């Protein structure tokens, strides 16, 4: 896979496929981590005299313009981070894009409007997708893929466009791939995996694959309750995937067979009411053993004994991969489990990877120093699919 060092970019129009899919509250960016992650690649290209054309998706518009998914706020924030103006095109391949790109001098940058405002970006039809990619290719001389959070998507700007232009991986993707190799090919042991989030079904492939590689797997978040139900425990009104109970039983049996420690919560915070995440009014909850959840209550965070147990299981780790919060971390009364896991990663002597998505957001929202972790991924879904052993279309395209 070529890197940007292999490209002669001076005076060239360089199309950078970034992942600027940031959370917005109206027009306010609530977490700019993905913008900051790709900024060094853009800055390096600008310093070398490139005319940089940045493109990304944001959210899930229906293949047509939708103001609430506009990248306009991102253009402003990107300019602040780069310390220079970012021209903003009001469309992706139309007159606005053509004018914005034509107006660039060497060392200047433009951001196109949301790629998903065009149905060709995400089309399942190869011809429609390629047609959109050809229109994007007309805006550039070279292609740099640096949107790691999108490389698991077979989308026009990720998969089809690199085939039309000389291409290379940006620094962010090169770093992400190097880190993932440390989680698959060059693992320092003990290898501890921490998985949370809402659904077991979201993590099936990664559990399946990591049962062959990990020494310990710690489970938290909403997905823990399906495992507890599989063990025969009452889980009340907690998140539950009935259709995954047998799968969980199979995983528990496979872990025992392989000698992999499979660790579930021993205590949880429960409540009859889901917390107010807007006003964050104080929650009413009880602390109970994980095998004694009342029938009318739901688990919303791991308890103090579980936090202590998980910290012990992480204390001697050589490698840690963490994906998914331990509870409803957006509310302060249910954030302590996620905080405890983040702190345990910081205290661990091993190489620690926060696997993108809600975990990466939680680290920032809860006030941890991002630089203190070994790596914080910009792509939760992409990281998980890589760890499942899947071929990622965006990486395959860059290798071609």
């Amino acid at each position: 896979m070529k890197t940007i060092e292999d490209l002669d970019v001076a005076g060239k129009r360089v199309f950078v496929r970034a992942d600027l899919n940031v959370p917005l509250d109206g027009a306010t960016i609530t977490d700019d981590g993905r913008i900051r992650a790709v900024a060094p690649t853009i800055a390096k290209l600008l310093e070398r005299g490139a005319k940089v054309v940045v493109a990304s998706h944001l959210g899930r518009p229906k293949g047509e313009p939708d103001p609430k998914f506009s990248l306009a706020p991102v253009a402003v924030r990107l300019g602040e981070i780069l310390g220079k103006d970012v021209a903003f095109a009001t469309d992706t391949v139309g007159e606005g894009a053509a004018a914005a790109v034509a107006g660039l001098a060497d060392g200047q940058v433009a951001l196109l409007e949301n790629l998903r405002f065009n149905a060709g970006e995400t089309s399942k039809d190869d011809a429609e997708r390629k047609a959109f990619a050809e229109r994007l290719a007309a805006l550039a001389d070279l292609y740099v893929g640096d949107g790691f959070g999108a490389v698991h998507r077979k989308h026009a700007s990720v998969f089809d466009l690199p085939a039309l232009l000389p291409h290379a991986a940006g620094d962010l993707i090169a770093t992400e791939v190097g880190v993932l190799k440390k989680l698959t090919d060059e693992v320092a042991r003990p290898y501890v995996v921490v998985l949370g989030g809402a659904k077991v079904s979201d993590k099936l492939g990664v559990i399946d694959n990591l049962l062959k590689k990990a020494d310990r797997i710690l489970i938290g978040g909403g997905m823990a309750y399906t495992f507890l139900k599989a063990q025969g425990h009452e889980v009340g009104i907690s998140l539950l995937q009935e259709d995954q109970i047998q799968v969980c039983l199979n995983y528990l049996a496979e872990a025992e067979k392989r000698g992999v420690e499979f660790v579930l919560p021993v205590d949880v915070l429960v409540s009859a009411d889901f917390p107010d995440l807007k006003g964050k009014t104080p929650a009413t909850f009880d602390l109970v053993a994980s095998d004694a959840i009342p029938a009318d209550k739901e688990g919303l965070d791991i308890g103090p004994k579980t936090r202590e147990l998980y910290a012990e299981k992480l204390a001697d780790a050589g490698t840690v991969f963490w994906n998914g919060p331990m509870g409803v971390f957006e509310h302060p009364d249910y954030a302590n489990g996620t905080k405890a896991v983040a702190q345990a990663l910081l205290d661990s002597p091993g190489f620690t990877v926060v696997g993108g998505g809600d975990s990466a957001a939680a680290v920032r929202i809860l006030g941890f120093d991002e630089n203190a972790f070994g790596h914080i991924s910009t792509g939760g879904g992409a990281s998980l699919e890589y760890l499942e052993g899947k071929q990622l279309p965006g990486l395959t395209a860059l290798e071609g």
Side-chain angles (χ1 to χ4, degrees), residues 275-283 328-333 365:
D276 166 23
L277 300 182
K278 280 287 187 184
K280 293 183 172 56
T281 52
V328 187
F329 73 91
E330 299 91 341
H331 192 284
D333 290 330
I365 290 168

